[in-house]
Amino acid sequence: MPANRLRTLAAAALTPLLAVVTGCSTTATPAAEAAGQPRSGGSLTWAVETEPITLNPHQYAQAKARLLVWNTFESLLTYDKQGKLVPWLATGWQVAPDGLSYTLTLRDGVTFSDGTPLDAAAVKANIDKLREPGYAPAVAAVQLRNLKAVEVVDPRTVRLTLTTPDVLILDFLASPQGAQISPKSLREAKNLKAGGVDVVGTGPFVLDRYVAGQELHYRRNPGYDWAPPTAAHTGPAHLDEVTYRFLKESAVRVGALTSGQVQVIEGVPATDQPLVTANRALRLTRELNSGSAYSYYFNTSHPPFNDLRVRQAFRQAVDVDTVLRSVYRDTATRAWSVISPSSPLYDKRLDGSAYSGDAAKANALLDQAGWTARDADGYRVKGGKRLTVRLVQSAPFVRDRRDVLAQAVQAAVKQSAGIDLKVSLVDQGTATEAIQNNEYEVFDNSRADTDAGAALNLLLHSKGGINRTHANDPRIDALLEAGQAAADPAKRAGIYADLQQRVVVEQALVLPLYAPADQIAAGTGVGGVRFEPTAGVPAGAYDLWIGK
């Protein structure tokens, strides 16, 4: 079958993936930390689940790519473990009393790996590029929609002027999309949007090899000396080099780790975690992502999800706890809202909500909506048409066995309510075409944005770059805009609580499923393994070292 054709997954294919990997210890007690004190030198190989669709941070869209982005590129600000913004390439910032401008001062002596200095002109060049038509339209339309102008005050000072107060501009400056690319690369890179070895940043490593479908290779930047305050050390990275191998199947990644072919892996599902935890030479760490929960978003622009009752019925047809248990074996954290429970904006009132898992309610709602008949296969029918909804999953964005989860949901909605969920796992181009042609009813997504407000602006605002619900709700827009303008944390939390009630309870625009988490498994001789503060995703390789 051609790569650009849809591959439909049948409900009958729902089978737990029980991988058997040889060469691992059966000892139940994990070994103590053996890496010792940090030391310089050596090379490390890390197996990752997902190959990035781009190596340009401005085009960043995959949470799984963050650990790669921060090896080469850096932002003006970052977050500490308490979720507080702190300087990075900037030394500080000032907000005008009216909230309409932010003035940032830059660190002295920072250079891109091509020798270009990081100065105010470079920052302006990056932001101007992001606002250039066709370059990063989602960023321009959402993160930078309230930006009026960028001004070079002096070589070390840059001022951002806004059309309206916008606290999320600081989150943008701490995000991959706000990372700094050498102005020379912005002008001369052969394929800037795709990124690669000729798109350079200020980071602790330099990308010097990319073999599509196989690996990325980074070498240490010897002149690096501007680590963020959240790092565990200063100066150049400990490692001489690090290679990231693309191994999509978790069993293959675990097998590579237990056999010593790689020293670190990420993405260890419940089925394979015992193989790690039982091995005294390995250790497993986990952390919840921030941002938005993994949810199914309903396309309200055409039938059947233009009917609130059908959206509600689909949710009631899924016993989320049972589905998650079947796929993740009690390791998944149930999501009750569109926002991850690790976010300070999460509305705890939604915990235990009764919007899912009631088959009787699902069937009653579908009866009310006119889907009263059944065909020979047991699916609901109205006017001779089967109650069919389509979920199109883009392969580069599938993580955490979400394809298997989709099959579990597919089986649940058929059995509980006679809904025909068509699940298709396709390449990115085919998925994009389906979205553009509005040929879907369910859109699945999660985002690891450090501020959940940034994720929700993209996903829920009527002008959001990935608003796949096609909802055009003035109340939702007003709440998003109010949350974006509110500087007081308590006021912001109240606004986003109201937003969650509107989106999840009143309008039933989403079915929250689980809060994404990342797992890192590493040999005990590897030190410095950590997660990115606040975001909860694996950090880059800067603090890693290999013990003697």
Side-chain angles (χ1 to χ4, degrees):
M1 180 181 292
N4 66 342
R5 300 297 297 172
L6 299 181
R7 178 161 60 88
T8 302
L9 304 175
L14 176 59
T15 304
L17 177 61
L18 300 176
V20 178
V21 181
T22 60
C24 65
S25 169
T26 58
T27 305
T29 306
E33 170 69 50
Q37 294 299 310
R39 72 184 190 96
S40 181
S43 60
L44 178 140
T45 303
W46 181 323
V48 295
E49 180 178 9
T50 305
E51 181 173 2
I53 56 178
T54 173
L55 297 170
N56 178 332
H58 292 169
Q59 309 292 324
Y60 161 82
Q62 297 163 289
K64 288 283 190 177
R66 286 180 76 104
L67 78 163
L68 306 173
V69 166
W70 297 129
N71 283 336
T72 308
F73 303 97
E74 299 176 307
S75 56
L76 299 176
L77 308 177
T78 190
Y79 285 90
D80 64 15
K81 291 182 178 180
Q82 289 70 47
K84 179 183 177 182
L85 281 162
V86 293
W88 188 351
L89 296 180
T91 60
W93 67 92
Q94 290 184 330
V95 186
D98 60 6
L100 292 178
S101 71
Y102 289 80
T103 303
L104 297 99
T105 54
L106 306 178
R107 295 180 71 154
D108 194 16
V110 178
T111 59
F112 294 96
S113 58
D114 61 8
T116 305
L118 174 77
D119 55 16
V123 174
K124 177 175 169 55
N126 273 264
I127 297 177
D128 285 346
K129 186 67 180 179
L130 283 160
R131 302 174 76 193
E132 185 178 291
Y135 176 65
V139 177
V142 179
Q143 287 97 322
L144 299 179
R145 74 179 177 203
N146 295 323
L147 181 64
K148 181 179 180 180
V150 183
E151 175 189 358
V152 174
V153 178
D154 61 46
R156 304 253 65 80
T157 310
V158 62
R159 179 175 295 123
L160 280 60
T161 303
L162 308 176
T163 58
T164 189
D166 183 354
V167 297
L168 286 178
I169 196 71
L170 294 177
D171 181 75
F172 160 74
L173 295 174
S175 71
Q177 292 97 335
Q180 299 299 297
I181 295 176
S182 164
K184 182 178 180 181
S185 294
L186 294 177
R187 295 190 305 267
E188 300 177 8
K190 295 178 180 177
N191 189 342
L192 179 59
K193 281 192 173 184
V197 296
D198 60 348
V199 179
V200 304
T202 62
F205 290 93
V206 176
L207 176 66
D208 61 5
R209 185 173 73 247
Y210 170 41
V211 182
Q214 297 183 36
E215 66 181 28
L216 290 166
H217 181 269
Y218 296 86
R219 57 178 171 80
R220 178 166 55 187
N221 179 357
Y224 183 79
D225 194 23
W226 41 85
T230 55
H233 77 291
T234 59
H238 297 306
L239 296 169
D240 290 327
E241 58 182 352
V242 58
T243 302
Y244 293 89
R245 293 179 58 192
F246 309 132
L247 300 178
K248 181 173 177 56
E249 298 299 328
S250 64
V252 175
R253 290 193 301 279
V254 173
L257 179 66
T258 57
S259 65
Q261 298 175 58
V262 304
Q263 292 79 51
V264 185
I265 66 173
E266 59 83 29
V268 188
T271 49
D272 293 328
Q273 287 179 15
L275 301 173
V276 175
T277 56
N279 191 325
R280 293 180 60 86
L282 304 175
R283 68 181 184 277
L284 177 71
T285 53
R286 312 175 184 87
E287 190 148 335
L288 285 180
N289 296 171
S290 62
S292 60
Y294 179 66
S295 304
Y296 283 179
Y297 293 76
F298 302 132
N299 183 353
T300 65
S301 67
H302 59 244
F305 286 143
N306 60 339
D307 189 326
L308 173 63
R309 295 167 297 185
V310 179
R311 302 198 296 272
Q312 293 171 329
F314 187 98
R315 298 198 313 186
Q316 292 292 357
V318 183
D319 184 334
V320 175
D321 289 325
T322 298
V323 165
L324 293 179
R325 194 175 302 115
S326 71
V327 178
Y328 301 114
R329 298 184 179 180
D330 295 318
T331 63
T333 299
R334 168 76 184 268
W336 296 99
S337 176
V338 67
I339 293 179
S340 170
S342 64
S343 169
L345 299 177
Y346 176 69
D347 183 5
K348 294 182 180 179
R349 294 177 299 170
L350 288 169
D351 286 354
S353 298
Y355 57 69
S356 68
D358 190 326
K361 284 186 179 179
N363 285 286
L365 285 162
L366 291 176
D367 287 342
Q368 293 169 23
W371 294 92
T372 54
R374 300 258 186 169
D375 64 16
D377 295 318
Y379 292 110
R380 295 263 179 171
V381 176
K382 181 169 70 171
K385 184 177 181 181
R386 177 182 286 185
L387 179 52
T388 299
V389 294
R390 296 163 293 181
L391 167 62
V392 181
Q393 295 184 305
S394 177
F397 291 91
V398 172
R399 52 174 285 192
D400 305 342
R401 304 179 78 222
R402 290 176 178 176
D403 50 344
V404 179
L405 177 60
Q407 295 170 52
V409 174
Q410 179 185 56
V413 297
K414 177 185 180 182
Q415 180 178 354
S416 296
I419 299 171
D420 183 16
L421 173 62
K422 300 290 189 184
V423 181
S424 301
L425 181 63
V426 302
D427 62 273
Q428 186 191 4
T430 303
T432 299
E433 183 179 358
I435 293 294
Q436 290 175 342
N437 293 337
N438 205 22
E439 296 173 345
Y440 68 97
E441 285 73 41
V442 182
F443 171 72
D444 64 328
N445 186 268
S446 68
R447 291 184 59 86
D449 298 87
T450 43
D451 190 307
L456 300 188
N457 276 355
L458 284 164
L459 289 159
L460 297 172
H461 196 281
S462 60
K463 296 181 180 178
I466 50 174
N467 176 8
R468 309 305 188 206
T469 69
H470 293 289
N472 188 358
D473 185 329
R475 176 63 175 159
I476 291 176
D477 284 357
L479 288 167
L480 287 168
E481 290 162 11
Q484 189 167 0
D488 178 72
K491 182 178 179 180
R492 277 195 91 212
I495 292 168
Y496 284 105
D498 290 344
L499 174 70
Q500 290 165 78
Q501 292 291 325
R502 179 68 174 173
V503 170
V504 179
V505 180
E506 297 172 15
Q507 294 298 309
L509 293 177
V510 299
L511 168 60
L513 291 169
Y514 72 92
D518 273 292
Q519 312 85 28
I520 304 176
T524 53
V526 178
V529 174
R530 67 185 185 91
F531 292 88
E532 187 182 329
T534 304
V537 297
Y542 176 66
D543 281 327
L544 293 178
W545 78 87
I546 299 177
K548 294 182 179 180

